[in-house]
Amino acid sequence: MPDKGLREIVAASTKISDIDGEKGRLWYAGYDIADLAQHASFEEVIYLLHHTELPTRTQLEELNEFMVGEREMNPFLAKIMPTLAQQASPMSMLRTSVSAASAYDPDGWDDSPEAEYRKAMRLIAKIPTLIACYQRLRTGQEVVPPNPKLPHAANFLWMLQGEEPDPADARVLDTTFVLYADHTMNASTFTARIIASTLSDMFSAITGAIGCLKGPLHGGANEEAMKMAEEVGKPENAAAYVAARLERHQKIMGFGHAVYTTMDPRATELKQLARELGERHDDIVWADIFEALQETVFEQKGLWPNVDLYAAGVYHVLGIATDLMTPLFALARMAGWTAHVREQYADNKVIRPGSEYVGPTGRVYEPIDQRG
Ligand code: ACO
């Protein structure tokens, strides 16, 4: 029997991140995710995932300076964005834009490790600009250029909402990016590594990863979890809603995980953030609904929440449109994807699993007129 989900297959050695699915633990380069969520900025985590060391102050300043200088969209992207804003879904826009960004990258087809690192940092730097620009255009608002004085997360809120964000909100958003930044050999990272393993380019690998993340069984689940919470409407409805869904053999989005058999440690952090944020914004109903869902899904099906459940609750209260939630996941995971692509290049073998043939054998070609 094939291992269809490849759950037992170890396809790479990595120094980037590690999971203990039974204990519900996640580490980036040896640092516990709870510790990083508490203390680290997203920029520090970008550095950590790419260098497997936390940066010194000087190293962080250098990284910030480079990324701030790379936030602007290239002219080609600026030209196609109005069409994408009218006609493409947010994740399709992102996939197309990353693919299109390759045409203007100053490092072109230079595949030296230094050039790949710069390409990675440029991509990470530009994604918030793409998402914010797309959102402003499709809602008929003026595009807000990046603010070089603001860090990554705060600058995103600035470009999206057109005003300087509350520092506490910016910190919450930053922490969601820390939590979403990497997660070992998940489906989209595996996709990126497979593409990189053919020695295809960084942009192709990340374009593929975005296409993979889009699916509702992967990154698309945060949007589905939000829609579910809106359908539930109030905490008292959660039990009946879940029972009806399970009765119809429908999945409860934001629950279950291919690796964790307990609470996803990112969900633990996000649950707390959702409640604190809700209290601060006087909008606690979403934290209440998601917590009611957690309780009843465990009672009825024995499933734990994954990262996407409470991320949806946090993003909603921060004023993020539901269909931008998966793009925000991509914004953060860009750090991990690009680090994995570089790690794959550094110790490469083409990834090529086998398959079990179950079709007919020994057939002989028949001319077309004799078939039927
Ligand atoms: N709701 C209802 N039942 C579920 C759920 C769920 N969310 N998750 C798993 N199950 C059930 C399945 O129906 C199946 O039951 P059965 O044995 O009676 O048929 C059993 O649990 C095993 O399910 P699989 O889908 O085989 O579990 P797997 O480990 O392969 O899947 C996955 C993991 C895809 C995440 C799954 O739990 C799921 O679809 N969850 C909902 C979507 C989601 O939240 N995705 C985000 C995951 S995290 C991330 O990608 C960032």
Side-chain angles (χ1 to χ4, degrees):
M1 275 290 280
D3 176 8
K4 279 214 242 166
L6 305 184
R7 298 288 192 278
E8 304 305 321
I9 307 293
V10 175
S13 300
T14 182
K15 292 183 176 165
I16 299 171
S17 60
D18 191 21
I19 298 174
D20 184 329
E22 281 173 22
K23 296 201 175 101
R25 303 283 302 274
L26 166 64
W27 299 266
Y28 295 165
Y31 292 95
D32 194 299
I33 194 67
D35 196 13
L36 293 171
Q38 190 78 35
H39 302 291
S41 68
F42 182 55
E43 284 88 333
E44 282 180 285
V45 166
I46 295 168
Y47 190 97
L48 175 65
L49 296 175
H50 275 267
H51 298 267
T52 63
E53 295 293 341
L54 281 169
T56 62
R57 190 168 292 282
T58 310
Q59 288 164 335
L60 187 61
E61 279 167 10
E62 280 169 11
L63 175 70
N64 280 336
E65 196 183 333
F66 183 82
M67 290 210 312
V68 167
E70 294 289 347
R71 283 178 178 167
E72 294 281 354
M73 278 190 289
N74 67 46
F76 180 50
L77 284 174
K79 198 169 158 193
I80 63 173
M81 193 54 84
T83 309
L84 292 173
Q86 270 177 6
Q87 296 185 14
S89 72
M91 284 300 278
S92 299
M93 172 282 291
L94 210 54
R95 193 193 55 220
T96 302
S97 301
V98 167
S99 180
S102 70
Y104 271 81
D105 192 89
D107 280 301
W109 301 113
D110 182 350
D111 60 0
S112 65
E114 297 76 18
E116 296 299 352
Y117 181 69
R118 287 191 296 270
K119 287 179 207 170
M121 295 308 130
R122 273 188 206 110
L123 271 175
I124 298 169
K126 284 188 200 323
I127 300 302
T129 316
L130 298 174
I131 299 171
C133 177
Y134 169 90
Q135 176 67 2
R136 301 282 299 181
L137 287 172
R138 77 169 173 170
T139 51
Q141 298 177 86
E142 234 171 86
V143 173
V144 179
N147 181 342
K149 295 203 182 86
L150 293 176
H152 205 69
N155 173 57
F156 172 69
L157 285 176
W158 156 260
M159 292 187 295
L160 188 74
Q161 295 170 345
E163 53 190 43
E164 230 176 279
D166 177 335
D169 285 353
R171 175 61 194 153
V172 168
L173 185 67
D174 191 67
T175 307
T176 70
F177 294 166
V178 167
L179 292 165
Y180 262 141
D182 196 52
H183 206 235
T184 72
M185 197 61 93
N186 59 87
S188 54
T189 301
F190 188 41
T191 304
R193 288 191 79 131
I194 292 171
I195 296 173
S197 84
T198 69
L199 298 185
S200 184
D201 63 289
M202 174 73 78
F203 294 93
S204 298
I206 302 304
T207 302
I210 293 172
C212 181
L213 186 76
K214 188 170 183 259
L217 296 189
H218 190 11
N222 57 12
E223 296 180 14
E224 298 303 320
M226 191 62 230
K227 289 179 203 159
M228 207 176 63
E230 283 173 329
E231 280 167 23
V232 170
K234 48 187 175 181
E236 307 85 276
N237 296 344
Y241 178 90
V242 168
R245 250 186 114 97
L246 291 175
E247 179 75 29
R248 294 194 298 268
H249 300 287
Q250 287 176 320
K251 285 200 163 164
I252 317 292
M253 307 313 275
F255 286 88
H257 200 275
V259 183
Y260 296 116
T261 51
T262 182
M263 181 93 163
D264 180 331
R266 302 165 298 174
T268 306
E269 299 300 318
L270 288 163
K271 180 179 182 177
Q272 197 181 328
L273 284 181
R275 180 144 290 280
E276 286 166 9
L277 186 71
E279 279 166 5
R280 198 156 45 72
H281 281 249
D282 202 14
D283 188 11
I284 202 64
V285 65
W286 303 106
D288 288 343
I289 292 173
F290 284 115
E291 287 178 22
L293 281 167
Q294 178 181 342
E295 198 178 318
T296 194
V297 170
F298 190 77
E299 273 167 21
Q300 296 188 45
K301 189 75 186 171
L303 287 168
W304 293 93
N306 60 51
V307 64
D308 286 325
L309 187 78
Y310 288 106
V314 169
Y315 287 156
H316 185 76
V317 178
L318 283 176
I320 307 291
T322 301
D323 66 356
L324 293 187
M325 292 180 183
T326 312
L328 283 205
F329 185 160
L331 181 161
R333 187 56 60 84
M334 196 64 65
W337 287 333
T338 49
H340 279 274
V341 167
R342 290 181 55 243
E343 190 176 56
Q344 184 69 35
Y345 287 149
D347 180 20
N348 190 50
K349 187 165 175 79
V350 170
I351 299 173
R352 203 294 188 194
S355 53
E356 177 199 20
Y357 179 68
V358 294
T361 57
R363 299 167 114 184
V364 177
Y365 179 85
E366 292 163 5
I368 194 161
D369 294 331
Q370 292 171 22
R371 288 174 219 159

